[in-house]
Amino acid sequence: MSKIVNGFSKLNKLEKIDWLVSTYFNNETKVKQVLLQYWNSNPLLQDLHDDFIENTISNFYLPFGIAPNFVINGKDYTIPMAIEESSVVAAASLVAKFWSTRGGFKAEVISTVKIGQIHFMYEGDKAELEHYFASKKENLFKVTEAITENMKKRGGGILDIELRDKTAALKNYYQLHVTFETADSMGANFINSCLEAIASEFEKEDIQIVMSILSNYVPECLVHAEVSCKVEELYAENSELFAQKFVQAVAIANAEPHRAVTHNKGIMNGIDAVVIATGNDFRAIEAGAHAYAAKSGRYKSLTNATIENGIFKFWIEIPLALGTVGGLTKLHPLSKLSLKMLDNPSAKELMQIIAVAGLAQNFAALRALTTTGIQKGHMKMHLTNIIKQLGASDEEKEYLINYFEHKTITHNAVVEAYNKLIGEK
Ligand code: MEV
């Protein structure tokens, strides 16, 4: 039976669910219940979420956690994180506390330039195109005035418009490469509106506009964050060896793309969680970060570490195009609350906070990997989850956690130990 449907978007929410349940789930009532149990009991809040996207039928929750004890440029922060992966928030909190007694994190925004491009094809004489561009340039700024007026008041606007010859990469391909300052907004709508206005002013018979769109590769919207301390303050057991192995772990990620991808994935665990919690676009951040990691032509680590004159230094440099106004930031009640928790930061301050969250996460991962291994913490979580599934009492839970302190945790082993325990009662 065909599952193609016409006029689906015109159905109301319940009708959409009914269609889904009858078409894909044999009218199982349980399926409908699963979807309905995630509807918010506050209809206004549910309406708000329904309208974020199209064809909404329910909500998909992510846990919202907080990591306290971050000290960044001398200021204390509790960082909000929305993420489904266990250990990430715990790691952030532990590392925050650790560095809070070693001078905290230092962070600095290097630049905040954003980019948009008008991609077009032109077969004619290049000198003529250059002449046409030069004669039009002032007008290209002028046609965006209505759009840029408010942004200019906030210190932003169009920085420059450049004609770029891309014909070496693709026959007849040129660009208008436009740079922007978007103050506290991420600026996607602003940039795209400016680009479309510029494109229609620039277009003529022999210039075929293919598309106008912002770039998520923003190597000049860059932030640096770091921590440093004396090597002997780094690790209780063998600080020197720990520091050396840590630096080697970063060097391995810089030398080897398979490791670099996992290394950077760990960084993005911290970054995405705060990006989502603050209502920013994590796909844009991901795309830009990984492109930046490959800027040398080989995919590398986003962090670096050194030991010089007995000082351990660990830092990150990452492009982050973020907003603290507009978009979802004030629309989603939890994003609004997250930003308030962070003392309503400017976009620049948020760049610093989020870079720190990534650096902290990478520190936690490398510390675990180069010492106890990552599984110890993960298996502890796994054990707690299995115990929860078994419906164990608090007393049984305590017994099982002690019992597995020095034993290998597998699902079967935990079930066996639990059955033995309740059998003995
Ligand atoms: C898991 O989500 C992240 C890590 O794999 C990161 C890393 O290996 O550096 C632990």
Side-chain angles (χ1 to χ4, degrees):
M1 198 185 81
S2 164
K3 294 180 170 71
I4 302 301
V5 55
N6 290 321
F8 184 72
S9 65
K10 307 273 184 315
L11 303 180
N12 68 30
K13 226 160 66 163
L14 277 173
E15 288 167 341
K16 283 179 182 137
I17 290 179
D18 286 340
W19 175 84
L20 180 75
V21 174
S22 67
T23 313
Y24 284 91
F25 296 95
N26 223 357
N27 280 322
E28 262 178 71
T29 46
K30 254 204 240 145
V31 174
K32 189 165 177 175
Q33 280 161 15
V34 171
L35 291 166
L36 295 188
Q37 76 187 352
Y38 284 99
W39 283 22
N40 198 287
S41 56
N42 173 350
L44 288 178
L45 194 58
Q46 188 54 58
D47 280 352
L48 179 80
H49 281 75
D50 287 352
D51 290 345
F52 286 151
I53 61 162
E54 308 74 35
N55 294 344
T56 310
I57 55 169
S58 190
N59 305 304
F60 193 101
Y61 293 168
L62 272 185
F64 178 74
I66 55 171
N69 298 324
F70 274 93
V71 179
I72 307 173
N73 295 339
K75 184 172 167 183
D76 299 347
Y77 292 90
T78 290
I79 296 189
M81 303 180 97
I83 186 159
E84 85 301 344
E85 184 171 332
S86 61
S87 304
V88 170
V89 180
S93 309
L94 281 175
V95 169
K97 190 81 182 284
F98 178 88
W99 283 106
S100 71
T101 58
R102 290 162 179 82
F105 293 83
K106 313 262 180 310
E108 189 190 1
V109 171
I110 297 167
S111 54
T112 54
V113 176
K114 290 171 185 155
I115 293 164
Q117 297 168 315
I118 296 160
H119 306 272
F120 66 94
M121 307 314 263
Y122 172 78
E123 290 181 22
D125 177 52
K126 185 178 162 187
E128 260 176 47
L129 178 67
E130 282 168 343
H131 184 257
Y132 172 70
F133 171 68
S135 70
K136 269 274 176 193
K137 191 165 173 177
E138 208 182 309
N139 250 9
L140 299 182
F141 278 97
K142 226 176 234 150
V143 292
T144 63
E145 268 169 8
I147 310 166
T148 54
E149 196 187 340
N150 269 334
M151 186 60 85
K152 279 183 191 155
K153 283 185 199 147
R154 294 193 272 129
I158 299 175
L159 302 175
D160 197 11
I161 309 174
E162 252 179 75
L163 172 69
R164 289 196 174 174
D165 180 349
K166 292 287 179 183
T167 53
L170 182 68
K171 198 173 163 213
N172 302 329
Y173 170 36
Y174 291 84
Q175 285 176 352
L176 292 185
H177 182 94
V178 190
T179 43
F180 297 86
E181 173 56 60
T182 61
D184 283 333
S185 65
M186 194 265 191
N189 276 329
F190 168 73
I191 293 174
N192 291 333
S193 300
C194 287
L195 292 174
E196 287 183 10
I198 295 171
S200 57
E201 177 64 21
F202 190 66
E203 191 166 27
K204 64 183 177 85
E205 239 167 48
D206 55 353
I207 289 179
Q208 187 202 30
I209 306 284
V210 179
M211 57 191 164
S212 308
I213 186 75
L214 93 171
S215 171
N216 289 121
Y217 183 46
V218 280
E220 286 173 72
C221 188
L222 200 62
V223 55
H224 169 102
E226 67 174 60
V227 283
S228 63
C229 71
K230 289 186 186 147
V231 167
E232 69 253 30
E233 290 169 358
L234 205 51
Y235 198 67
E237 283 154 38
N238 186 343
S239 226
E240 192 79 34
L241 178 67
F242 171 75
Q244 270 175 25
K245 281 180 75 175
F246 194 102
V247 169
Q248 276 160 357
V250 178
I252 288 169
N254 266 322
E256 213 284 311
H258 282 90
R259 174 56 204 151
V261 172
T262 318
H263 177 101
N264 289 344
K265 186 273 181 188
I267 294 172
M268 300 317 283
N269 278 345
I271 292 195
D272 285 345
V274 195
V275 169
I276 295 172
T278 55
N280 276 281
D281 179 347
F282 69 94
R283 287 85 54 207
I285 296 299
E286 282 277 342
H290 296 297
Y292 191 73
K295 70 179 188 304
S296 66
R298 197 180 69 227
Y299 189 90
K300 287 184 172 185
S301 163
L302 288 163
T303 54
N304 273 295
T306 52
I307 305 167
E308 273 170 23
N309 305 321
I311 303 289
F312 168 83
K313 188 171 140 184
F314 179 47
W315 71 96
I316 186 167
E317 202 179 84
I318 186 167
L320 293 173
L322 299 166
T324 55
V325 298
L328 208 63
T329 54
K330 297 279 159 31
L331 213 53
H332 195 302
L334 284 174
S335 305
K336 199 168 154 189
L337 185 147
S338 294
L339 288 166
K340 204 157 176 209
M341 191 189 310
L342 296 171
D343 201 14
N344 287 323
S346 63
K348 278 188 178 175
E349 196 181 344
L350 188 61
M351 285 168 78
Q352 297 173 356
I353 295 166
I354 293 184
V356 164
L359 185 69
Q361 209 54 229
N362 192 220
F363 184 81
L366 296 185
R367 181 167 66 174
L369 288 167
T370 56
T371 56
T372 55
I374 208 81
Q375 281 311 87
K376 200 174 171 204
H378 280 186
M379 290 321 276
K380 225 181 196 165
M381 278 291 193
H382 188 48
L383 174 64
T384 327
N385 284 340
I386 301 169
I387 294 173
K388 214 182 277 169
Q389 277 166 21
L390 291 170
S393 67
D394 285 348
E395 199 187 320
E396 289 158 356
K397 179 176 168 184
E398 200 184 320
Y399 167 85
L400 289 169
I401 287 174
N402 285 332
Y403 178 83
F404 279 100
E405 178 74 33
H406 300 293
K407 291 193 177 64
T408 308
I409 300 162
T410 65
H411 192 270
N412 278 352
V414 180
V415 174
E416 223 167 80
Y418 174 71
N419 285 341
K420 194 158 171 246
L421 175 68
I422 53 172
E424 278 168 8
K425 280 191 177 169

